[in-house]
Amino acid sequence: MTITLDSLEPALSVRQVLTLERVLAGEPEVVAGAQHLDRPVRWVHVAEAADVGVMLTGGEMVLTTGVLLAGDEDKQAEYVRSLHRAEAAAVVLGLGRAFPAAPDVMRRAAERCGLPMVVLHRPFPFAELTEEVQSRLVRRKFAAVSLSEAVRTELTALITAGAPLQRLLDEVARHSACPVVVTNLAHRVLGTAGERPAVDDVLRDWERIARQAGGVEGDGWIRAELGGRGERWGRIVLCGYRGDTATGRLLADRAAEALVLHRMLAGGAACSWEEQSAQSLLTDLVSGVVPARQLLPRARAAGLPVNRRTFVPLVVRDGDPARLERLLRLLGLPGLVAELADGATAVLLSLPRDQDAGALAVHFATRLRTETGPDHTVVAAAEPRAAWDDVPTGLREAQHVADAVADSCAVLDLPPVVRLKDVHLRGLIRLLRDDPHVQSFAERELDGLLRETDEDLLSVLRTYLATGRNKSRTAQLHHVSRPALYRRLESIQVRLGVDLDDFEQAASVHIALLAHDAQQQ
């Protein structure tokens, strides 16, 4: 059976101890330190000795009748001070023969120290209180350890099965019942899990929240460092954990162990987590399944500047994401990079509004083509967007442009940055590629070549038409002599039953070939 937080005993604070039925029978009254009643009680200890502090290790609720303190105010004050120095959770004084009422000296000392002091107005067997609290504490600790081991076992099984990072985080969020965030040391979010509205609330002001929660654990913010061999590279944060803090730390520690193991088995690919985060965000933007407004907290938490910016959506064909990341850093351009599909990589630049977005996009593309060669990389772009809500449309437009010229970049004279106005007929045909009439037209026009699936002749035809029927350029690109090219073109015309020197017939075949190629993508 899976152990969840619902099966845990609640954490025992001083306040909760005072609400136990056995304690209520003693008519407890808080006479000092009422503002500190939420202190956790680690143990219950009965002690009458004046130097009780030397016997404590912190977190104890100390029970006493004060029999050895009666009549000596100095001892009474020192008794309270020693408890404070030992970081006791509270002191409970049973009223009776030694003290018929709460002694003022002890009460004032406790108030000054911030130590909760409780008196019991009715005779009360301390053994009953000790038994009740100790049994609850033991059950709680056992449940916490059981939960810790269950989480460790489940996460290890997921890692062994090759589960991705997101699956591990989902499991941690299920156990902790709160948002879970993984960051690098610069507070950039690498992964999240939990109920989406709660996660978005956390991410909305993540930079401030992360730095505030980075040093002190409070209000359920529990963190564990990620690293190994003396090197830290990130942290996992339980955001708003509502259970016992000690149990939360156990959960965070088990999660951290699993994430470190996951990274080790992946070859230390911490950067791949950043890539996965960017990929998830940009994929959601492109798909339009999640409204852009809802993705804004994730973008901000991922380190993308979003306030008063100009966004430049780019899609790079056959571009290495790692190379693109390095180039962005080299040029000092803020942005996200993520591999999409079919050799396409999305790049979303976020630029100050006083910069020339178009010129910077061209500069980026020119540097990239210098490194990779103009025949190997196509940089497609949409017009810059001033509003975040327009980014998804821009990314889809850039993707459409990149796809429209994907197979012809070697034969087309393309600018460094290809835009919608540069794809002309190719763009239109790609939009219509799924139309049954267009598909039927393409098959009818190219039937003579498609029937025999002669890829060599199709390739020659494709180049010949893309170069504007330039025979010299076509022969050069296919590394054949002009007479050999003439023979192939003659064979193509015979099989298709067309005259490629006739503009209208050549245009018809060109459109059919564009439609055929678009349908194959």
Side-chain angles (χ1 to χ4, degrees):
M1 183 181 75
T2 301
I3 299 175
T4 64
L5 292 179
D6 292 335
S7 63
L8 282 175
E9 279 289 306
L12 283 181
S13 64
V14 174
R15 188 188 309 278
Q16 290 169 323
V17 170
L18 298 181
T19 63
L20 297 178
E21 186 175 349
R22 291 185 180 182
V23 180
L24 290 175
E27 296 183 5
E29 178 189 359
V30 179
V31 297
Q35 67 272 33
H36 300 290
L37 294 181
D38 291 320
R39 285 182 176 178
V41 176
R42 188 181 61 82
W43 207 243
V44 177
H45 189 68
V46 180
E48 301 290 355
D51 59 347
V52 62
V54 299
M55 304 180 226
L56 307 179
T57 57
E60 296 89 351
M61 174 178 276
V62 177
L63 312 179
T64 183
T65 62
V67 66
L68 299 182
L69 304 175
D72 191 331
E73 292 186 348
D74 289 340
K75 283 187 177 180
Q76 295 169 22
E78 178 56 27
Y79 184 86
V80 172
R81 288 194 293 268
S82 69
L83 294 179
H84 171 64
R85 289 193 297 271
E87 299 182 350
V91 57
V92 178
L93 176 64
L95 300 181
R97 286 181 300 171
F99 292 103
D104 287 340
V105 173
M106 293 182 69
R107 183 180 55 77
R108 288 195 299 270
E111 193 65 48
R112 283 194 298 271
C113 294
L115 177 71
M117 179 175 175
V118 182
V119 296
L120 301 174
H121 289 279
R122 292 174 62 90
F124 185 86
F126 283 168
E128 291 186 10
L129 173 58
T130 303
E131 179 185 8
E132 175 75 11
V133 175
Q134 310 297 49
S135 64
R136 285 176 178 264
L137 289 173
V138 169
R139 289 199 301 271
R140 181 180 63 82
K141 290 181 179 178
F142 175 76
V145 171
S146 298
L147 172 63
S148 171
E149 290 307 309
V151 171
R152 173 184 278 151
T153 300
E154 291 175 15
L155 293 181
T156 301
L158 288 174
I159 293 172
T160 304
L165 170 67
Q166 187 60 53
R167 182 68 184 87
L168 270 64
L169 296 182
D170 289 340
E171 190 67 17
V172 175
R174 184 177 69 82
H175 281 290
S176 62
C178 70
V180 175
V181 176
V182 174
T183 76
N184 61 15
L185 296 181
H187 306 294
R188 180 173 175 177
V189 174
L190 307 181
T192 63
E195 295 184 2
R196 195 72 255 166
V199 172
D200 288 344
D201 285 343
V202 169
L203 296 184
R204 195 159 284 114
D205 196 15
W206 174 252
E207 184 69 18
R208 180 187 62 81
I209 292 175
R211 295 189 182 281
Q212 185 176 354
V216 180
E217 289 185 354
D219 297 328
W221 286 75
I222 300 173
R223 64 189 178 94
E225 301 299 322
L226 304 176
R229 299 179 180 177
E231 178 186 4
R232 292 189 304 116
W233 44 266
R235 60 178 57 91
I236 182 171
V237 186
L238 307 186
C239 308
Y241 175 74
R242 295 184 178 180
D244 174 39
T245 300
T247 304
R249 289 198 185 101
L250 279 175
L251 276 172
D253 289 342
R254 295 297 83 78
E257 290 173 2
L259 295 185
V260 171
L261 177 60
H262 185 277
R263 183 195 178 204
M264 289 174 57
L265 294 178
C271 61
S272 70
W273 290 3
E274 297 185 3
E275 293 168 4
Q276 290 175 33
S277 175
Q279 183 178 36
S280 173
L281 173 61
L282 292 184
T283 299
D284 285 346
L285 279 170
V286 170
S287 69
V289 174
V290 182
R293 182 60 52 182
Q294 293 183 21
L295 297 173
L296 191 57
R298 286 170 58 188
R300 185 181 288 111
L304 186 73
V306 295
N307 295 329
R308 299 185 58 79
R309 310 291 287 191
T310 296
F311 302 101
V312 183
L314 305 173
V315 169
V316 181
R317 298 291 308 190
D318 300 323
D320 176 29
R323 181 193 295 273
L324 297 176
E325 283 272 15
R326 288 195 298 270
L327 184 56
L328 286 183
R329 288 195 296 269
L330 178 65
L331 299 178
L333 297 176
L336 295 178
V337 176
E339 189 171 7
L340 298 178
D342 301 325
T345 301
V347 180
L348 180 60
L349 302 180
S350 174
L351 307 174
R353 291 187 176 177
D354 59 354
Q355 293 186 349
D356 188 334
L360 287 174
V362 170
H363 181 50
F364 169 78
T366 303
R367 286 292 299 269
L368 180 62
R369 295 180 72 177
T370 299
E371 294 183 7
T372 61
D375 294 340
H376 296 87
T377 302
V378 172
V379 179
E383 292 302 314
R385 261 57 178 179
W388 174 258
D389 288 345
D390 295 334
V391 169
T393 303
L395 284 169
R396 289 192 289 271
E397 179 183 314
Q399 189 174 33
H400 165 67
V401 172
D403 290 344
V405 298
D407 295 327
S408 305
C409 58
V411 297
L412 296 176
D413 186 17
L414 298 174
V417 176
V418 187
R419 302 184 184 278
L420 192 60
K421 64 182 179 61
D422 300 314
V423 297
H424 306 295
L425 182 61
R426 295 175 180 274
L428 175 63
I429 294 300
R430 183 165 184 82
L431 289 175
L432 299 175
R433 63 178 178 173
D434 294 326
D435 188 300
H437 298 293
V438 174
Q439 295 174 358
S440 176
F441 168 75
E443 292 179 7
R444 184 174 63 252
E445 288 290 299
L446 300 175
D447 180 65
L449 290 179
L450 297 179
R451 227 182 307 121
E452 300 181 21
T453 61
D454 193 327
E455 289 298 329
D456 180 59
L457 291 182
L458 272 176
S459 178
V460 169
L461 176 62
R462 185 179 294 112
T463 303
Y464 179 63
L465 295 174
T467 58
R469 295 182 291 172
N470 186 320
K471 294 183 175 65
S472 297
R473 177 64 174 155
T474 302
Q476 180 185 14
L477 289 172
H478 283 271
H479 308 289
V480 297
S481 65
R482 286 176 66 94
L485 175 65
Y486 293 156
R487 288 193 294 272
R488 295 183 187 185
L489 291 177
E490 182 63 29
S491 177
I492 291 171
Q493 293 182 103
V494 169
R495 294 190 186 191
L496 296 181
V498 298
D499 178 6
L500 293 179
D501 289 329
D502 181 86
F503 175 79
E504 185 174 337
Q505 294 183 54
S508 181
V509 172
H510 193 189
I511 292 171
L513 186 57
L514 291 176
H516 168 75
D517 289 344
Q519 291 159 16
Q520 305 308 307
Q521 295 177 3

